Structures are given as structure tokens and as C-alpha cells.
Amino acid sequence: MKDLLFIAGPCAAESKEIILHSIHQAKKAGLDYLRVSLWKPRTQPGFEGLGEKGISLLQETAKAGLNPATEVMLPEHVTLLIKKVLPVNESITLLVWIGARNQNHIIQRAIAKAAVHPRVRLMVKNQIWHSQKHWEGIIHYVLEGGISRKKLLVCHRGFAPIGKNQQGYRNIPNFKMAMDVKKITGLPMLFDPSHTGGTAENVKKLVQEAMRYDFDGLMIEVHPSPKKALTDAQQQLTW
Ligand code: PEP
Ligand code: MN
């Protein structure tokens, strides 16, 4: 079996206690990146992540010799992380990603520009609506921002269902499209079964299904006590 890239951790970085526990588990599991996500896009106002106040949690992760990963909403977030997190440990790399809801091409290009750094990787997720043309467009925009293809990853997280949702997933996967985008762009393609599935049961089912395709990695939400999670409680697995 090929060596898959594994990113896992809580939906949102909620507290120091949870992240210290996650660091321990992630090291034991040999993860490539720990999710320490600071900025959360939300459908309704609520817990939007710790934001800048949580940077110390990425520093803790780096100090422990583990690579941290977080969503970023603005180019300023990337600049701040580069300044504050990378100097803590010269041997770690930082992964930042653009989420499915951050669909402003000016911001996407600016985030990619800010992420140009030898120790930073950028991941882009597909947008929420079902369109291959749009998905490829996001990739063109970030490449215009100057990010190297060697530092760029793509991630499939399904598309918002339209009408009757017979599959019962939170978002509908299109594995064939993901493979087409991988082939056309030549970029590594990860799969996020958590935001696709929406429930822990679906996550397990989708991982099995995705194994039939040539994905290059997985990003999975894992929380020490999912029921108590401040965001996406139904879909998080335990360590
Ligand atoms: C996330 O990964 O934290 C997230 C919000 O997912 P998506 O952008 O796929 O909705
Ligand atoms: Mn989530």
C-alpha cells in the first residue's frame, strides 16, 4: 500500500488540554499533521475558533516536534503563523488550508502568496457546490498567487446535496471528479471523510469506499470526547 498523508485532530482547537492530549495521541499514531484549526467558518454565529489567541497551541505542537495544520481565512493569518510558529522548531512544516466556504478568488490568491515559504504547504478544498470547472479555478487562482506545485495539495470534502439526499451524507462525494482533478492538475488529492460524511458511522463507511480510488491522503476529525465538541460533534471520531 502506498504511503498516505495523514492529517487528523479536532474540528476546532478548543483548549490547551485538548491539544496536549491530541499531540500525545498524534505522535503515538505517527500522524503527518495534527489539526490545530484556529479559524472556523460557521453557518450561524457561534464559536468561530480561538483565532489568534490559539497560536500558542500551534507553538506547543511545533515544540513537541509535530507538524501543525489549520484552516486560514485571510492572508494575514498565514503571515502571523509563519512569524510565530515556524521559529519554534526548525524541523517542522506548517500546513494551512483554504476551506470550502472561503470562495473569494482575491483572498485565495493572496493566501497562496502569503504561504510562499520553504516550510509551508497549502491545501485547497473543493467549493461547496458541485462544479469541476470551479474547483479547477480555485487551483488556478492559488497557483497565480505563486505557490509552488510542490507545496500544493488538494482535498475533496464532497458537495452540498441538492434536493432529496438519498445517500444520507452531509455532503455528496464525487470520487470520479476528484480523480479527474488529480489527473488534470497533477497534484496530490486528499479526502476528508468527516465533512463529507457528517456522522462517525458515515466517516468509516466513506473511508472504505475511498480506498478504491487513488487518494494520496486523508484528513479526519478526531476529538477526545466528540459529544462535548464545540463544533461538528456528530462526525468526530475518538483517537
Ligand atoms: C474544516 O475542515 O474545518 C472545514 C470547515 O471543512 P470544509 O471547509 O470542508 O467545510
Ligand atoms: Mn469540522
Side-chain angles (χ1 to χ4, degrees):
M1 203 171 110
K2 78 174 181 193
D3 200 14
L4 296 174
L5 188 88
F6 265 101
I7 309 163
C11 173
E14 297 174 6
S15 68
K16 184 168 177 180
E17 191 196 352
I18 291 176
I19 294 304
L20 289 179
H21 175 82
S22 304
I23 289 170
H24 177 74
Q25 297 290 343
K27 288 186 93 170
K28 219 161 74 175
L31 287 187
D32 296 294
Y33 288 90
L34 177 65
R35 269 184 75 111
V36 189
S37 204
L38 298 185
W39 291 280
K40 305 300 306 166
R42 302 301 304 274
T43 308
Q44 296 279 328
F47 176 64
E48 292 178 32
L50 294 176
E52 277 187 42
K53 287 196 299 250
I55 286 181
S56 60
L57 303 179
L58 281 94
Q59 291 171 328
E60 286 291 341
T61 309
K63 232 189 277 172
L66 199 60
N67 301 316
T70 177
E71 175 159 355
V72 287
M73 309 267 271
L74 295 170
E76 290 78 18
H77 297 160
V78 185
T79 308
L80 198 62
L81 293 167
I82 288 176
K83 192 170 146 219
K84 303 258 186 183
V85 179
L86 290 182
V88 170
N89 183 342
E90 306 236 313
S91 65
I92 59 109
T93 60
L94 171 72
L95 174 76
V96 294
W97 75 83
I98 298 174
R101 306 181 203 198
N102 198 356
Q103 295 306 320
N104 175 323
H105 65 270
I106 295 175
I107 291 177
Q108 291 168 344
R109 196 158 42 205
I111 287 175
K113 187 168 177 221
V116 175
H117 187 287
R119 288 165 58 206
V120 177
R121 288 168 110 175
L122 174 67
M123 183 165 82
V124 293
K125 291 181 136 192
N126 63 263
Q127 76 290 344
I128 55 175
W129 58 94
H130 203 157
S131 156
Q132 180 168 337
K133 198 169 163 193
H134 189 110
W135 194 359
E136 287 177 31
I138 302 167
I139 296 163
H140 290 309
Y141 281 121
V142 293
L143 286 169
E144 275 184 14
I147 193 84
S148 147
R149 302 179 67 85
K150 289 197 189 92
K151 292 277 189 280
L152 188 57
L153 306 163
V154 187
C155 178
H156 185 40
R157 49 77 83 203
F159 297 105
I162 300 169
K164 199 158 174 259
N165 178 5
Q166 274 155 340
Q167 281 171 284
Y169 294 137
R170 180 178 177 186
N171 290 290
I172 309 301
N174 187 333
F175 293 124
K176 187 185 171 297
M177 190 193 289
M179 290 300 114
D180 285 347
V181 171
K182 171 178 161 146
K183 197 166 161 203
I184 290 164
T185 62
L187 295 167
M189 178 66 68
L190 278 70
F191 178 51
D192 171 350
S194 304
H195 292 93
T196 307
T199 67
E201 272 316 301
N202 284 343
V203 170
K204 292 174 208 166
K205 210 154 81 181
L206 281 164
V207 169
Q208 296 303 320
E209 223 184 299
M211 285 301 155
R212 302 206 304 265
Y213 297 84
D214 190 25
F215 282 102
D216 300 287
L218 290 168
M219 178 155 85
I220 302 185
E221 288 187 341
V222 183
H223 192 282
S225 26
K227 283 198 186 99
K228 291 192 201 149
L230 299 178
T231 56
D232 287 347
Q234 306 97 308
Q235 72 195 28
Q236 302 205 56
L237 307 185
T238 56
W239 285 101

